Amino acid sequence: RKEVEQDPGPFNVPEGATVAFNCTYSNSASQSFFWYRQDCRKEPKLLMSVYSSGNEDGRFTAQLNRASQYISLLIRDSKLSDSATYLCVVNRGGAGGFKTIFGAGTRLFVKA
Amino acid sequence: EPEVTQTPSHQVTQMGQEVILRCVPISNHLYFYWYRQILGQKVEFLVSFYNNEISEKSEIFDDQFSVERPDGSNFTLKIRSTKLEDSAMYFCASSRLAESYEQYFGPGTRLTVT
């Protein structure tokens, strides 16, 4: 089982749609959680950190459920520029040492 | 806005040659990282570096890899004897505080081993 799992998609949505991505992690020693976006052949760019209380940044809302080991990202009113791959990222500590684990990403295409 | 920078943007080398990839982290950041991404695959952690020593390294980071902060601003990744399978995008990242904080990535160096 992969340590961080995401639905690879692709998600094809029209402009203005609301789309939700999910991510699950398997290691209970995971400590901090993030969503990044990555455009084709570019570096990952931090979108937002994810907290148990939930956090919102404009059209983006992220949520963490530690009990279920589940992270979500909601994008409202999708724009063409939201087309990218969304990466779920988990930092974990524990006996194996501290590591940053990336999910394989979920591809989003927003169409006019 | 401060950025992580990397040079070169593209490096082509022959199998068996040594390469050094360079990064300038954000100036007030204390933790530095290298990642690689093979084309079409996910981003993979290689190594983290703090206080002039390696904090953690992955199974990928074997004896052919080394990192160094030679002059207080640059952070380098050296691959001693490149293999074809080292062809990938290499990203440098930095974070201001502990490893659990947000990491900011450079634009990457595309390494092609022929």
Side-chain angles (χ1 to χ4, degrees), chain A:
Chain A
R1 184 185 170 189
K2 294 176 188 172
E3 187 163 348
V4 177
E5 292 208 67
Q6 296 182 249
D7 180 345
F11 285 62
N12 293 289
V13 303
E15 267 187 299
T18 295
V19 61
F21 305 136
N22 301 321
C23 170
T24 57
Y25 62 95
S26 60
N27 194 316
S28 57
S30 299
Q31 298 174 335
S32 54
F33 309 88
F34 307 91
W35 284 102
Y36 283 74
R37 69 170 277 166
Q38 186 175 30
D39 294 287
C40 189
R41 295 180 179 255
K42 298 286 190 181
E43 74 272 26
K45 287 190 187 293
L46 179 67
L47 191 60
M48 56 202 308
S49 304
V50 190
Y51 308 113
S52 297
S53 54
N55 50 311
E56 189 173 311
D57 183 1
R59 298 181 293 108
F60 299 84
T61 301
Q63 190 75 47
L64 165 65
N65 184 321
R66 283 191 184 269
S68 303
Q69 296 185 186
Y70 169 95
I71 303 156
S72 64
L73 177 69
L74 184 77
I75 305 175
R76 288 181 298 278
D77 188 23
S78 300
K79 312 287 184 200
L80 295 176
S81 57
D82 293 334
S83 297
T85 297
Y86 288 83
L87 308 175
C88 174
V89 179
V90 173
N91 286 340
R92 62 139 167 96
F98 186 94
K99 289 198 176 69
T100 299
I101 313 295
F102 277 74
T106 299
R107 295 191 73 185
L108 172 66
F109 294 102
V110 181
K111 298 186 185 300

Side-chain angles (χ1 to χ4, degrees), chain A residues 31-32 34 36 38 41-44 46 49 51 87 91 96-104, chain B residues 35 37 39 42-43 45 48 56-59 89 91 99-107 110:
Chain A
Q31 298 174 335
S32 54
F34 307 91
Y36 283 74
Q38 186 175 30
R41 295 180 179 255
K42 298 286 190 181
E43 74 272 26
L46 179 67
S49 304
Y51 308 113
L87 308 175
N91 286 340
F98 186 94
K99 289 198 176 69
T100 299
I101 313 295
F102 277 74
Chain B
Y35 294 84
Q37 187 174 31
L39 189 62
K42 68 174 189 172
V43 176
F45 170 79
S48 61
E56 298 294 340
K57 58 184 181 178
S58 71
E59 305 75 29
M89 186 73 110
F91 293 111
E99 288 157 310
S100 58
Y101 281 73
E102 295 97 345
Q103 297 177 30
Y104 295 87
F105 283 73
R110 179 162 297 284

